[in-house]
Amino acid sequence: MDFILQGVIQALRLLVGGDPETYSAVAATVKVSSMAMAASLLMGIPLGFCLGHFDFPGKRQARLVVDTLLSLPTVFIGLMVYAFLSRQGPMGQMGLLFTLPGVAIGQTILALPVVIALTATAVESMDAELRTSLLSLGASRAQLLAGSLWEARHGILAAGVTAYGRVMTEVGISMMVGGNIKWHTRTITTAIALETSKGMFAMGIALGLVLLLIAFGANAAVSFLRRK
Amino acid sequence: MPLFELHRILQAYAGRTVLTIDAWQVPEGKIVGLCGPNGSGKSTLLRLLGFVERPVRGTIHYQGRPAEPYADAVRGRVVLLPQASYMLRRTVYKNVAYGLRIGRVRCDIRQRVGESLGLVGLDPDAFAQRPWFALSGGEARRVALAARLVLRPRVLLLDEPTASVDSASAQMIQAAALHAHRQWGTCLIVTSHDHHWLQDTCDETVHLFQGRILGRGDFTLVFGPWQPGENRRLAAPLGRDQWLTLDPPPAGAAESDIAALDARHLTLHALTDPLPPGTAVVEGTITALALGKTSGQISVSLTVGATPFTAYLPPEMAATGHFTPGNKARLAYSPDAVRWV
């Protein structure tokens, strides 16, 4: 038990003292997850809204595909993205392998089905009378879509937070596509894996605490927005 | 020019026909009541008139021109208060102001919202900033109505406006709707199971049954099973020793056929009144009286066994004192004035 307690104490020292290596991993994580979330929300919310709101041929099949992609293993995404970005791959000339944008591509693939599926569920579960109410109050087609999207905002926020949690905590993509390069592509999760394997619990615990803190901050922000 | 004209309307959900209307007109500025049992197509008709859905077949003309959902001619002018009105996930103020904002109506929004909340009996200072989830069922219904009234619509369609609310809320909803009619000439089209309220409020009532318009006025529906009676007529038992005997339909009646008796063809008689021999009558108990708004006739509810009948009583007959709730009376009907549905 002592080594865990010692680890926590040292972790707090690293965090309070502004240890550059720890904060480099934190910065890489925030940067890469922000890129991935921006891309997945920009694509996922409209796609999820369309999937939940409109009726079209093949809707059930599309939903089945999206739901299946929810259980994509991160190492498999890492493998596929690695294959695409490696020198022999179709996107090899872009030079994205072992870079943060490369990791962000993989994490976007991870987050996108989560955002689409949960947004579609939020839109589908809206009261059937919402459309009637908006139309009867004089909404145009565009105002009907905007109004429906706004009414589903709490569900969409939950979709974003869930996807963010998945992106922040994944190891497989960051390790395979990013390569865990110190000061460069080392993220919180890859650093924890590495430090633990070296027996350096303090840094692992410190980074774990930061991860929890970020998750708390994201959920607190959503809770505040829900009350708005 | 009629306000609404419906031509060869057919509406179906999941392949099942729920409403068929060959032709129907609604005059401008009237209060029209729609009555009929559950599943008769009242709400569907309101949704079509409110342009929130398209019919499978047929056309609806609004003020002489064909109209459909999203048309500029109807947006914000023809408004529907559905039975389960949805409260937008925002404050009461934003709920009521929504229609004005999206319609870019040039007015003092704050003042109009306050006025509308006042009309439905809600104090704007106390309610405007309340969130949507902090309202009782009756308050939510009144806020939903205020959100419609704020638009000062030409047509206000109310689907069971007083269902599931207490009597105080019901009175305020009714008063607010009538205010819109008097103040702005709003045409009200109302569905309700409150027969007496419709009778009291509406210029005309239209009876629907099984997705068809039976006609104007009050109808009593008598369900089978029908049995062979005297003189090749059909008879349905209504209660102890009470039989309704009718001429069969030309094609012959099935056991499940339903007879609709038009209140205009029914006459009330005191038990002591002499009747010509052979007059078809049933005897029942008077349960309620209501004064018709435009006809000046008194509408009488009379129950025979478990079947409620409605008939009209001329005011001079009411003065005899025979026709008060609780009294027994006889209902005479002309067997050939019955419609089979």
Side-chain angles (χ1 to χ4, degrees), chain B residues 20-107:
Chain B
T20 316
I21 297 175
D22 286 336
W24 187 53
Q25 292 186 345
V26 179
E28 185 104 36
K30 297 278 186 190
I31 305 179
V32 179
L34 302 177
C35 58
N38 288 340
S40 58
K42 305 186 297 290
S43 298
T44 304
L45 179 54
L46 280 196
R47 292 170 71 82
L48 292 176
L49 294 175
F51 298 104
V52 297
E53 63 186 37
R54 286 186 174 84
V56 170
R57 195 189 71 201
T59 53
I60 300 175
H61 286 69
Y62 173 71
Q63 293 188 316
R65 291 183 178 172
E68 55 179 21
Y70 305 109
D72 286 343
V74 297
R75 279 175 52 204
R77 293 180 176 86
V78 180
V79 301
L80 164 70
L81 179 68
Q83 204 169 340
S85 40
Y86 180 90
M87 288 287 293
L88 300 174
R89 274 38 176 169
R90 43 194 100 176
T91 61
V92 166
Y93 178 85
K94 287 181 177 172
N95 261 283
V96 178
Y98 179 80
L100 292 176
R101 287 188 192 281
I102 61 168
R104 297 194 179 90
V105 178
R106 284 186 189 170
C107 65

Side-chain angles (χ1 to χ4, degrees), chain A residues 36-52 66 108 111-120 123 149 156 159-160 163:
Chain A
M37 283 312 297
S40 60
L41 290 176
L42 273 174
M43 289 185 281
I45 292 174
L47 288 172
F49 184 83
C50 291
L51 191 58
V66 171
T108 302
L112 198 56
V114 179
V115 177
I116 293 174
L118 296 187
T119 301
V123 172
L149 195 60
I156 294 171

Side-chain angles (χ1 to χ4, degrees), chain B residues 31-270:
Chain B
I31 305 179
V32 179
L34 302 177
C35 58
N38 288 340
S40 58
K42 305 186 297 290
S43 298
T44 304
L45 179 54
L46 280 196
R47 292 170 71 82
L48 292 176
L49 294 175
F51 298 104
V52 297
E53 63 186 37
R54 286 186 174 84
V56 170
R57 195 189 71 201
T59 53
I60 300 175
H61 286 69
Y62 173 71
Q63 293 188 316
R65 291 183 178 172
E68 55 179 21
Y70 305 109
D72 286 343
V74 297
R75 279 175 52 204
R77 293 180 176 86
V78 180
V79 301
L80 164 70
L81 179 68
Q83 204 169 340
S85 40
Y86 180 90
M87 288 287 293
L88 300 174
R89 274 38 176 169
R90 43 194 100 176
T91 61
V92 166
Y93 178 85
K94 287 181 177 172
N95 261 283
V96 178
Y98 179 80
L100 292 176
R101 287 188 192 281
I102 61 168
R104 297 194 179 90
V105 178
R106 284 186 189 170
C107 65
D108 182 344
I109 291 181
R110 189 166 291 279
Q111 188 253 327
R112 282 274 281 270
V113 170
E115 181 189 294
S116 292
L117 285 173
L119 273 178
V120 294
L122 296 174
D123 177 7
D125 294 332
F127 280 89
Q129 293 313 314
R130 273 206 204 174
W132 59 275
F133 54 79
L135 298 169
S136 71
E139 287 165 353
R141 195 92 178 117
R142 280 145 71 186
V143 170
L145 178 59
R148 273 77 183 164
L149 292 175
V150 80
L151 297 169
R152 296 183 181 172
R154 290 293 300 271
V155 184
L156 179 58
L157 306 152
L158 303 168
D159 195 357
E160 299 280 357
T162 56
S164 326
V165 297
D166 59 28
S167 58
S169 290
Q171 278 178 9
M172 285 173 192
I173 288 169
Q174 289 164 357
L178 291 175
H179 174 90
H181 176 70
R182 281 193 306 272
Q183 197 73 22
W184 310 313
T186 301
C187 171
L188 301 180
I189 303 179
V190 191
T191 71
S192 178
H193 288 294
D194 186 344
H195 171 79
H196 292 298
W197 181 64
L198 287 182
Q199 183 77 23
D200 193 37
T201 311
C202 299
D203 297 308
E204 66 177 66
T205 53
V206 174
H207 206 111
L208 284 103
F209 184 67
Q210 290 183 341
R212 290 176 184 275
I213 291 178
L214 278 182
R216 287 184 179 158
D218 289 296
F219 287 82
T220 297
L221 299 172
V222 180
F223 297 81
W226 297 93
Q227 299 171 13
E230 290 174 0
N231 302 325
R232 304 175 68 186
R233 284 180 167 172
L234 293 171
L238 297 181
R240 213 172 65 180
D241 303 330
Q242 297 298 317
W243 291 81
L244 186 81
T245 52
L246 305 172
D247 290 332
E255 268 217 335
S256 58
D257 278 355
I258 298 155
L261 282 80
D262 189 337
R264 289 170 299 185
H265 297 297
L266 302 176
T267 53
L268 276 163
H269 301 274

